[in-house]
Amino acid sequence: MVETNPIINPVTGRQWDVNSLIEKLLELQDSLLQVQERNIMLTAQARELERIARDAEDLKEELTHQGTLLADKSRENKHLHQELSRMASVLGSKMQEAEDLKSAIVEIQHQLKTCQSERDLLAVMLTEAENAARQVRQQSDSSGHAPVYPPAKESGPQTSWLNRLKGRQS
């Protein structure tokens, strides 16, 4: 076995220079310090990336939840839309019924006015007939004879009011 001298550099065969060794040691310490700093920086970046990955997973889960919620709201909106459409058609038919009722009311009001005018006309005619009958009675009482009634006229007021009741105007 060959003995190695600790004072002699086995690679170069010369004696170790303390200054060069110290210089080499300082270079290695600087390199070690740079590697440690780089390691710290890479570790911090790795933690940051892990945090970003967790945030991305949380966001993905939240988006999935929001998608489910949106699908539920979409179904609810579809149901509400169908319900509103149904209500709109019911309201449309009710509005048509209301319009029909308005038309019927107008027609009934017209018929009522016609009936009132016919009633008024009949009241006038009845009053005239009663007055004529009273005059005939007064004449017959004063003359002592049986009452004589005037002959009925075909186109007179009596047939006129009968035609009006039947809907024919003369």
Side-chain angles (χ1 to χ4, degrees), residues 108-131:
I108 288 172
Q109 286 174 338
H110 177 67
Q111 289 175 2
L112 178 64
K113 286 179 184 177
T114 303
C115 287
Q116 288 173 341
S117 66
E118 288 175 356
R119 179 201 63 203
D120 293 345
L121 182 62
L122 286 174
V124 167
M125 292 170 67
L126 179 63
T127 304
E128 289 174 356
E130 286 174 348
N131 288 339

Side-chain angles (χ1 to χ4, degrees), residues 126-150:
L126 179 63
T127 304
E128 289 174 356
E130 286 174 348
N131 288 339
R134 200 175 304 127
Q135 285 177 358
V136 168
R137 259 188 269 124
Q138 286 174 355
Q139 287 175 0
S140 74
D141 285 347
S142 64
S143 68
H145 291 25
V148 177
Y149 295 101

Side-chain angles (χ1 to χ4, degrees), residues 57-115:
E57 287 295 321
D58 291 346
L59 285 175
K60 183 179 176 183
E61 187 176 313
E62 181 66 23
L63 284 176
T64 302
H65 176 68
Q66 291 292 330
T68 304
L69 186 63
L70 185 61
D72 291 345
K73 292 293 181 184
S74 178
R75 281 191 296 275
E76 184 179 331
N77 283 346
K78 182 179 179 183
H79 176 72
L80 287 174
H81 179 71
Q82 290 171 343
E83 193 67 22
L84 286 173
S85 295
R86 185 187 65 77
M87 290 174 75
S89 65
V90 168
L91 285 174
S93 66
K94 293 296 179 186
M95 286 180 66
Q96 183 60 43
E97 288 176 16
E99 289 297 321
D100 293 345
L101 286 174
K102 283 180 184 178
S103 298
I105 288 171
V106 167
E107 178 63 29
I108 288 172
Q109 286 174 338
H110 177 67
Q111 289 175 2
L112 178 64
K113 286 179 184 177
T114 303
C115 287

